[in-house]
Amino acid sequence: MRFQLLLAGAAACAALALSPASAQTPPMTPDIAKDFKWPTASYDYEKRVEMVPMRDGVKLYTVMIIPKGAKDAPILLTRTPYNAKKTAQRALSPHAAATGAQVDEPFLADGYIRVYQDVRGKHGSEGDYVLTRPLRGPLNNTAVDHSTDAYDTIDWLVKNLKQSNGRVGITGSSYPGFTSAMALINPHPALKAAVPQSPMIDGWMGDDWFQNGAFRQINFDWFTSQMTEKGEGDDIPRQAFDDYDNFLRAGSAGDYAKAAGLDQIPSWRKVSEHPAYDAFWQGQALDKILATQPLKVPTLWVGALWDQEDIYGAIHAYEAVEPKDAGNDMNFLALGPWRHSGVNYEQRQLGPNLKLPGDTATEFRLTVMKPFLDSHLKTNAPKADIPPVFIFDSGSMKWNRLQKYPQACETGCAATLKPLYLTPGLGLSFDKAVNGAAFEEYVSDPAKPVPYVRRPVRWDDADQWRFWLTSDQRHVDGRPDVLTFVTEPLKAPLKISGEPVVNLYASTSGTDSDWVVKLIDVYPDVVPSDAPMGGYELGVAMEIFRGRYRESFEKPSPIPAGKVQRYRYELPPTNHVFQPGHRIMVQVQSSWFPLYDRNPQTFVPNIFFAKPSDYRKATQRIYLTGDTASSIELPVVPAN
């Protein structure tokens, strides 16, 4: 009986194994799916990936998010070196508004076709990557640049996306802001609007690499993260926790770069071979190029008042194009209370202490940026109620709608600049000092440079970098190598709206020097409703100037030791009310480390390669009276 049962069971098993309906996956089948695809029947969009051909045969990786059922839809394009595939998938979601970047939520929810593209040579795109590839001409002997790539991309999109209405806008922040600006040069007829955000416009004068000749060495990690491989590379390995120590121990910026292996990266070699504002930099200055172009595309230039990376580009591009805007309806400017690219995210405060009146970035996107693009990209859209200038007042914490910016300037504005003089006794006054000490002095020691943030300088702390421009400047107030000039508490509000101008008379015992000038709003000693802001020293506009360029940015020259020289340069744009009870402060120093490379204070042909023996102490004198009275020329306007 037992034998018969066993035979029956075996027969049943054999029959089961032979039955196609009940076949099982063999236990040793490899478990990685060969070509897994998410079911997308429930998705409210289609994601399409194409290799879009350019005129030279190179194909660029392009991702399109197309709402299902889209008809007569506008197209919004971003061209980026930061991975189009990743940018187009903020979240793995069946909803278009969730899968695109945060800035794109309202556009994807409203039926826009959103397009992201890798620039040539990066990530999924073919071709050679050249950092901020110059326009065809003396610096580019090829047939292509970002202007032609934008043109060819737009041409392909309007011909191949049948769901579109044939109208294209372009936007992006930082490097994608640069590519957005490049699209304005010989633009495709279908390009109907542009919103370049914090664009890289002039890498020597004030965006990313230099500020008035001083090199921003804190950006060294960008070289390795972007240009050690086609995709995303790594930051530079650190010897110590504090970057102040890391850079100081390395020596010159060139020594640091060499130790980190940057000599292998052509873009670093190009930068270090061109320390002055020569044809290499002048030929790439987009504000100067745009000034020569016809104004064909309505453009909203978006900048940030506390942009720690590209504070120069938006305002100078806007100002370069503004004379062509006869009807004051083609060239727009927005300056918001944000860090670099902060407009694309939620922005309720800047750093741990400076609070904003709500989410100013989302408010801007919904009430200004989207209506602007809608009016130019949607079919038969009404005109948007967008002022020519939409700018945040960082003292009153509210938005202003203006017809022009700046409101006060040296010439050609409704108001002129008003000098605020540095006076004997470390005061500030709108009246020039006649009597008193002729100068204040300090010793600048390259071995003990002034830190730009409270130490430790954290290479691993993204927020310390993002929000350093709003950090409390008390961290250096009182150092013997920082001069601090301050007013009495104000009895009435004082508003500035424009770019303050430094008019510094100074001497040095060395033959080269940097001059850092900070315009600061000092809060009252007690702020009852916000205790951490008591006595806070908030930077309103701060900038550095390399003294060797006082006569020519293109041809540096030694500073005559011990002789008074004039240094005149702009601070970043402002729109700020110094409130009653607050004080105005000006700080002057000669290093800002390790944000900028140290000046050896001895004239050498190329500071990148200064030797240890070139770094010497220098006595710095700031002159205060008579014809050599130093001042900050403020763009003062009525406070109401």
Coordinates of all heavy atoms in Angstrom, one line a residue, residues 318-319 322-323 403-417 497 499 637:
Y318 N 21.4 92.8 -17.4 CA 20.2 93.7 -17.4 C 20.6 95.1 -17.8 O 20.0 95.7 -18.7 CB 19.5 93.7 -16.1 CG 18.5 94.8 -15.9 CD1 17.3 94.8 -16.5 CD2 18.9 96.0 -15.2 CE1 16.4 95.9 -16.3 CE2 18.1 97.0 -15.0 CZ 16.8 97.0 -15.6 OH 15.9 98.1 -15.4
E319 N 21.6 95.6 -17.2 CA 22.1 97.0 -17.4 C 22.7 97.1 -18.8 O 22.5 98.2 -19.5 CB 23.1 97.4 -16.4 CG 22.5 97.6 -15.0 CD 23.5 98.0 -13.9 OE1 24.7 97.7 -14.1 OE2 23.1 98.5 -12.9
E322 N 19.5 97.2 -21.2 CA 18.5 98.1 -20.9 C 18.4 99.3 -21.8 O 17.3 99.7 -22.2 CB 18.6 98.6 -19.4 CG 17.5 99.6 -19.0 CD 16.1 99.0 -18.9 OE1 16.0 97.8 -19.1 OE2 15.2 99.8 -18.8
P323 N 19.5 99.9 -22.3 CA 19.4 101.0 -23.3 C 18.6 100.7 -24.5 O 18.1 101.6 -25.2 CB 20.8 101.4 -23.6 CG 21.6 100.9 -22.4 CD 20.9 99.7 -21.9
Q403 N 10.1 101.0 -12.0 CA 10.2 101.2 -13.5 C 11.6 101.1 -14.0 O 11.8 100.6 -15.1 CB 9.6 102.6 -13.9 CG 8.1 102.7 -13.7 CD 7.4 101.7 -14.6 OE1 7.5 101.7 -15.8 NE2 6.5 100.9 -13.9
K404 N 12.6 101.4 -13.2 CA 14.0 101.4 -13.6 C 14.9 101.0 -12.4 O 14.5 101.1 -11.2 CB 14.5 102.7 -14.1 CG 13.8 103.2 -15.4 CD 14.3 102.5 -16.6 CE 13.7 103.1 -17.9 NZ 14.1 102.4 -19.1
Y405 N 16.0 100.4 -12.7 CA 17.1 100.2 -11.7 C 18.4 100.3 -12.4 O 18.6 99.9 -13.5 CB 16.9 98.8 -11.1 CG 17.8 98.5 -10.0 CD1 17.5 98.8 -8.7 CD2 19.1 98.0 -10.2 CE1 18.3 98.6 -7.6 CE2 20.0 97.7 -9.1 CZ 19.6 98.0 -7.8 OH 20.5 97.8 -6.8
P406 N 19.4 101.0 -11.6 CA 19.3 101.5 -10.3 C 18.5 102.8 -10.2 O 18.3 103.5 -11.3 CB 20.7 101.8 -9.9 CG 21.4 102.0 -11.2 CD 20.7 101.1 -12.2
Q407 N 18.0 103.1 -9.0 CA 17.3 104.4 -8.9 C 18.2 105.6 -8.6 O 17.8 106.7 -8.9 CB 16.3 104.2 -7.7 CG 15.1 103.3 -8.0 CD 14.1 103.4 -6.9 OE1 14.2 103.0 -5.8 NE2 12.9 104.0 -7.3
A408 N 19.4 105.3 -8.1 CA 20.4 106.3 -8.0 C 21.7 105.8 -8.5 O 22.0 104.6 -8.3 CB 20.5 106.7 -6.5
C409 N 22.5 106.6 -9.2 CA 23.7 106.2 -9.7 C 24.6 107.4 -10.0 O 24.2 108.5 -9.7 CB 23.6 105.3 -11.0 SG 22.7 106.2 -12.3
E410 N 25.8 107.2 -10.5 CA 26.7 108.3 -10.8 C 26.2 109.3 -11.8 O 26.2 110.5 -11.6 CB 28.1 107.7 -11.2 CG 29.2 108.7 -11.1 CD 30.5 108.0 -11.3 OE1 30.6 106.8 -11.5 OE2 31.6 108.7 -11.1
T411 N 25.6 108.8 -12.9 CA 25.0 109.7 -13.9 C 23.9 108.9 -14.6 O 23.9 107.7 -14.7 CB 26.0 110.1 -15.0 OG1 26.5 108.9 -15.6 CG2 27.2 110.9 -14.5
G412 N 22.9 109.7 -15.0 CA 21.8 109.1 -15.8 C 20.6 108.6 -15.0 O 19.7 108.0 -15.5
C413 N 20.6 108.7 -13.7 CA 19.5 108.3 -12.8 C 18.8 109.4 -12.2 O 19.2 110.6 -12.3 CB 20.0 107.4 -11.7 SG 20.8 105.8 -12.2
A414 N 17.6 109.1 -11.7 CA 16.8 110.2 -11.0 C 17.5 110.8 -9.9 O 17.3 112.0 -9.6 CB 15.5 109.6 -10.6
A415 N 18.4 110.1 -9.2 CA 19.1 110.6 -8.0 C 20.6 110.2 -8.2 O 20.9 109.2 -8.9 CB 18.6 110.0 -6.7
T416 N 21.5 111.0 -7.7 CA 22.9 110.8 -7.8 C 23.4 110.1 -6.5 O 22.7 110.1 -5.5 CB 23.7 112.1 -8.0 OG1 23.4 113.0 -7.0 CG2 23.3 112.7 -9.4
L417 N 24.6 109.7 -6.5 CA 25.2 109.0 -5.3 C 25.6 110.0 -4.3 O 26.0 111.2 -4.6 CB 26.5 108.2 -5.8 CG 26.2 107.1 -6.8 CD1 27.6 106.5 -7.2 CD2 25.3 106.0 -6.3
S497 N 19.1 102.3 -3.2 CA 18.6 101.4 -4.2 C 19.5 101.6 -5.5 O 19.3 102.5 -6.3 CB 17.1 101.8 -4.6 OG 16.6 100.9 -5.5
E499 N 23.8 100.4 -6.9 CA 25.1 99.8 -6.6 C 26.0 100.9 -5.9 O 26.5 101.8 -6.5 CB 25.7 99.3 -7.9 CG 25.0 98.2 -8.5 CD 25.0 98.2 -10.0 OE1 24.4 99.0 -10.6 OE2 25.7 97.3 -10.5
V637 N 17.9 107.2 -1.9 CA 16.6 107.6 -2.5 C 15.6 107.8 -1.4 O 15.8 107.4 -0.2 CB 16.1 106.5 -3.4 CG1 17.0 106.3 -4.6 CG2 15.8 105.2 -2.7

